Amino acid sequence: GAAMAAALLWALLAALRVGWCLLPQSGYLHPDEFFQAPEVMAGRDILNLQVYYPWEFLSSFPCRTVVFPLMTSGVTYWAIKSLEQLDICSSCINSYTLLVSPRLLFTIFSFILDYSVYRLAPLWEADLWKALLLLAGSYVTLVFYTRTFTNTLEGLLFAFLMVLVSSRKSKGSSVEPTNSPLIGVITTAGFFNRPTFLAFALMPLLYWAGLIVDSQKSIKTVINHFLKLILCACFTAIVFITADTFYFTSMSLDNLYSINKGSLFDIIAQLHEQMVVTPFNFLIYNLNPHNLALHGSHPRVTHFTVNGVMLFGILHILAIGAGFKMLKKYVHQLIRVRHRGLPGLLVHSDGIPTLLLFYFVPLAFLSLFNHQEPRFLIPLILPLVLFSASQNRAVKWKHLIVIFNLLGAFLFGCLHQGGLIPCLFHLEQLIHSPAPSNHPRHYTLLFAHTYMPPRFLLNIKKTDMHVEVIDMAGSGEETLCQTIEHQASNFTCSGCHIFVIIPGTVRGTITKCGVSFKNETLIFPHLSMEDPPQMPILSSGNWRSQLGLHILQLHRDQ
C-alpha cells in the first residue's frame, strides 16, 4: 500500500514536470538558458531569425561546443521548421513553440535522473521510492532540469556515469567490463559540454578504477579496460573537435582539398591550423581571474554556505553534518591504520561515505573558482537524494522539504524575472498582427533593468529590419533618460512605435525623463532581485505594480 501511494505520488509529480513545461514556466533563471543553445540555433543555422550571438559562440575564440546545441535545440527547431514546410502546421514557428519545444526535449531527458535513481538505489542502500520522491519533488528537477542549460546536460551525463560505474553483477560486486568504452565516451562528451565535468567525473572514475583493480587478478585485463576507455575517449574527442572546427571555421571538404590537390600534408596542416578545441578555449578564458570577475566574484565558500542551501535546503545541511562525522571517523581510523589506500577505502567501505565523496569532491573543486552560481551545483542532486533516502535521514524533515520546494518552485519557476517571457510573447503577437493601413511599421523595443531579452522569441526573420531591440541592462537614470529622449526626438514616421519595458520597482524613473506614454501594459508577476521592491511598498496598495513588468508605449505627440 505504501509503495502504491508512493508510485502514484511520483506519477503526479512526473505529470507536473511535463505539464508545467507545456504551460509554460514563466520564470527566467539566467540568460545562459537561452543564449547557450536556443538563441544560437534559431539564427542562421536553422530558422534564420534575428538573434544575438553571445561571445562564447564567436568564431574568433569559441568556448562552447556546437554539438549539444545542434542535438537539442537544433533538432527541435529543425522538426518544427519541417512541419511548417510540409504544410502539416501552417504557423508552427511562433514564440510558444520556440520556447517550449527545446524545453520539452530537456524535460523528457530529465527522466534519465529518475531511471538512474531506479538503477542506483538498491546498489547504494537507499530506499527507492523515497529517493524517487525526493528527486521528483525537488524544485531543482521541476525548474532547472526542464531548462536548456549546459548544466542540465552535465547533470544527465553525471547520472549516466554513476550508473555505469555502479553496475555490478547480480551476485558479487565485480564491475561489468563492457562499461569501459561507454565511460570513456560519456566522460569526454561531458568535458566538451562543460570542462567542469571533470570535477564531477573524478570520484566515479576513481571508484570504477578501484573496482576494476580489485576484481581482476590479471594485469593484462586491467590494462585492457583502461585502453578501451582511453581509445573511446580519444575517438569521441576527435568527433567533437571535427564538428566544432567545421562549424566555426565554415570549412568544407571541397575547399580543404582545393588548398593543394596534390598534397595531403598541406590539407592536414591547414586543418591543424584552424582546429577548434572549445574546452581549451573555455579553460583559458575562465582560468583568468580578470575574466571571471567580469561575470561576478564570490567568496570561495559560497557553494558550501549559500548555493547548496538555496538549491537543496535541509538535504545539503544533513549532508554537511554527515560529512563532518565521516571525516572525524576516518581521521581516527587513519591514526590507527596508516596503510589504508584510496581504492580500498572506496570499494570496501559502505555506500554512504562514497556517496558523500561523490557529493563533496565536486563541490570542493568548483569552490576553487571565485565565480560561483547555484546552477553549477545542480548535477549533485543525484548523489544527494540517494544519500538522503538511506537510513530514513529525510523522513522527519518531510514537511520542511515540501514547504522549501514549494517556495523554490514558486520563486524560480514563476516570480524570478517572470514577466519577461510573457512580455516577449505579447510583443511577438503585436508585431505580427495585421497592419491597419498600408504604411510600413517600425518597432523599437527598449528593455531596461531586466535580464537580456532573447530575441528569437520575437520570431523576426533576419531579413526583416522593422524591429529594433535595445538592451539597456542596468543603466542608470541619466543614461536611461538620455536614450529615451533620443528615441522620442527621432519619433517621426507615422508607423513608428516605441516601447519601453521596465520593472515596476524602477517605474518612477521614467516619469523624470520628460516624456509621456499613451498605453501601459502590466505583466504580473515579475520579481527583479537586482531591483527588489521595498517591504513598505509591498504592504501598500501599489504592491501589484511593484511586482510587475511594465510595457510603456511612447506617445507620438511629444
Side-chain angles (χ1 to χ4, degrees), residues 25-255:
Q25 288 185 26
S26 58
Y28 183 166
L29 299 175
H30 189 280
D32 282 358
E33 69 174 289
F34 297 110
F35 291 92
Q36 287 183 0
E39 180 90 0
V40 177
M41 291 297 105
R44 62 176 180 263
D45 297 309
I46 310 291
L47 301 177
N48 204 32
L49 299 181
Q50 286 186 26
V51 298
Y52 174 83
Y53 285 96
W55 62 271
E56 296 103 320
F57 285 89
L58 297 179
S59 57
S60 56
F61 194 72
C63 294
R64 298 282 180 191
T65 182
V66 76
V67 174
F68 284 110
L70 282 171
M71 290 171 61
T72 53
S73 298
V75 167
T76 58
Y77 290 160
W78 175 83
I80 60 175
K81 180 181 179 181
S82 300
L83 289 174
E84 189 164 279
Q85 288 176 339
L86 294 170
D87 290 331
I88 297 174
C89 174
S90 59
S91 57
C92 280
I93 302 174
N94 54 63
S95 57
Y96 175 81
T97 56
L98 289 170
L99 175 74
V100 170
S101 57
R103 280 188 179 181
L104 182 60
L105 184 64
F106 272 70
T107 302
I108 294 168
F109 285 165
S110 73
F111 286 96
I112 291 170
L113 291 176
D114 303 75
Y115 172 75
S116 300
V117 168
Y118 172 77
R119 285 285 304 273
L120 293 171
L123 300 176
W124 292 102
E125 305 167 8
D127 184 284
L128 173 61
W129 286 112
K130 287 174 185 174
L132 279 172
L133 290 178
L134 283 174
L135 175 74
S138 170
Y139 86 87
V140 173
T141 306
L142 290 169
V143 179
F144 283 85
Y145 273 94
T146 59
R147 305 298 182 91
T148 49
F149 284 117
T150 55
N151 310 91
T152 305
L153 292 173
E154 188 173 44
L156 299 177
L157 291 170
F158 181 49
F160 265 130
L161 194 58
M162 281 193 64
V163 170
L164 291 173
V165 304
S166 302
S167 296
R168 299 183 183 125
K169 293 180 181 178
S170 57
K171 295 180 181 179
S173 59
S174 58
V175 72
E176 295 175 2
T178 53
N179 287 347
S180 305
L182 277 175
I183 289 171
V185 171
I186 294 297
T187 304
T188 308
F191 176 67
F192 273 82
N193 175 57
R194 288 184 67 86
T196 54
F197 185 73
L198 294 183
F200 296 97
L202 177 62
M203 289 313 300
L205 289 177
L206 286 175
Y207 178 81
W208 172 81
L211 284 174
I212 287 288
V213 171
D214 272 26
S215 62
Q216 303 294 336
K217 295 179 180 178
S218 167
I219 188 67
K220 184 179 177 181
T221 309
V222 172
I223 293 172
N224 185 42
H225 280 301
F226 285 101
L227 279 177
K228 284 180 182 178
L229 184 147
I230 293 168
L231 287 173
C232 288
C234 290
F235 175 76
T236 307
I238 290 169
V239 171
F240 275 86
I241 291 169
T242 303
D244 289 336
T245 300
F246 275 91
Y247 179 83
F248 288 110
T249 61
S250 301
M251 290 191 299
S252 68
L253 289 173
D254 290 335
N255 56 36

Side-chain angles (χ1 to χ4, degrees), residues 214-523:
D214 272 26
S215 62
Q216 303 294 336
K217 295 179 180 178
S218 167
I219 188 67
K220 184 179 177 181
T221 309
V222 172
I223 293 172
N224 185 42
H225 280 301
F226 285 101
L227 279 177
K228 284 180 182 178
L229 184 147
I230 293 168
L231 287 173
C232 288
C234 290
F235 175 76
T236 307
I238 290 169
V239 171
F240 275 86
I241 291 169
T242 303
D244 289 336
T245 300
F246 275 91
Y247 179 83
F248 288 110
T249 61
S250 301
M251 290 191 299
S252 68
L253 289 173
D254 290 335
N255 56 36
L256 268 178
Y257 186 67
S258 67
I259 297 166
N260 190 330
K261 290 185 178 180
S263 174
L264 180 61
F265 176 80
D266 286 344
I267 298 175
I268 295 172
Q270 180 71 8
L271 181 61
H272 180 265
E273 287 176 10
Q274 300 191 43
M275 187 180 294
V276 174
V277 187
T278 53
F280 290 162
N281 292 346
F282 179 95
L283 289 171
I284 290 169
Y285 181 89
N286 284 282
L287 289 174
N288 186 333
H290 174 71
N291 291 336
L292 284 182
L294 296 175
H295 302 275
S297 295
H298 310 95
R300 284 187 167 82
V301 295
T302 303
H303 279 326
F304 276 98
T305 57
V306 178
N307 294 341
V309 178
M310 186 186 300
L311 289 175
F312 308 123
I314 190 66
L315 300 186
H316 176 73
I317 297 170
L318 292 173
I320 289 176
F324 276 119
K325 288 180 182 178
M326 183 191 79
L327 193 61
K328 183 179 177 181
K329 173 184 174 182
Y330 279 106
V331 166
H332 286 305
Q333 285 187 0
L334 287 171
I335 292 172
R336 295 173 187 173
V337 184
R338 297 183 180 182
H339 302 292
R340 184 190 290 267
L342 180 61
L345 176 67
L346 286 173
V347 175
H348 298 298
S349 63
D350 59 34
I352 302 309
T354 310
L355 280 176
L356 285 173
L357 288 173
F358 280 23
Y359 183 74
F360 282 114
V361 169
L363 195 59
F365 272 104
L366 293 174
S367 297
L368 296 176
F369 300 95
N370 59 8
H371 178 61
Q372 302 186 14
E373 297 180 27
R375 63 192 171 94
F376 296 169
L377 302 184
I378 65 171
L380 296 176
I381 191 172
L382 181 57
L384 185 60
V385 298
L386 290 171
F387 163 76
S388 303
S390 60
Q391 301 177 11
N392 289 325
R393 281 186 177 83
V395 172
K396 64 180 179 180
W397 302 100
K398 61 183 179 181
H399 298 297
L400 180 61
I401 291 170
V402 169
I403 294 169
F404 171 79
N405 284 301
L406 283 172
L407 290 174
F410 178 63
L411 175 61
F412 292 105
C414 299
L415 272 182
H416 189 258
Q417 294 284 328
L420 192 54
I421 301 306
C423 164
L424 291 167
F425 279 24
H426 172 78
L427 292 171
E428 188 243 5
Q429 291 182 349
L430 184 68
I431 290 167
H432 292 282
S433 61
S437 64
N438 293 326
H439 295 290
R441 294 180 297 179
H442 185 276
Y443 292 91
T444 300
L445 311 176
L446 192 151
F447 292 83
H449 292 262
T450 67
Y451 277 4
M452 264 175 39
R455 276 73 159 172
F456 77 101
L457 291 180
L458 293 171
N459 192 21
I460 308 297
K461 290 295 181 183
K462 194 174 182 180
T463 54
D464 198 340
M465 305 307 293
H466 78 289
V467 178
E468 178 187 12
V469 176
I470 303 172
D471 184 10
M472 298 292 295
S475 299
E477 180 181 322
E478 184 179 349
T479 305
L480 182 57
C481 284
Q482 284 177 355
T483 305
I484 293 174
E485 288 166 6
H486 174 72
Q487 292 296 324
S489 65
N490 295 331
F491 200 175
T492 53
C493 68
S494 59
C496 291
H497 304 274
I498 299 175
F499 293 90
V500 178
I501 297 94
I502 196 164
T505 48
V506 288
R507 170 67 178 85
T509 303
I510 302 296
T511 59
K512 304 173 185 177
C513 294
V515 294
S516 59
F517 300 94
K518 63 177 181 180
N519 289 318
E520 181 169 350
T521 303
L522 175 66
I523 296 180

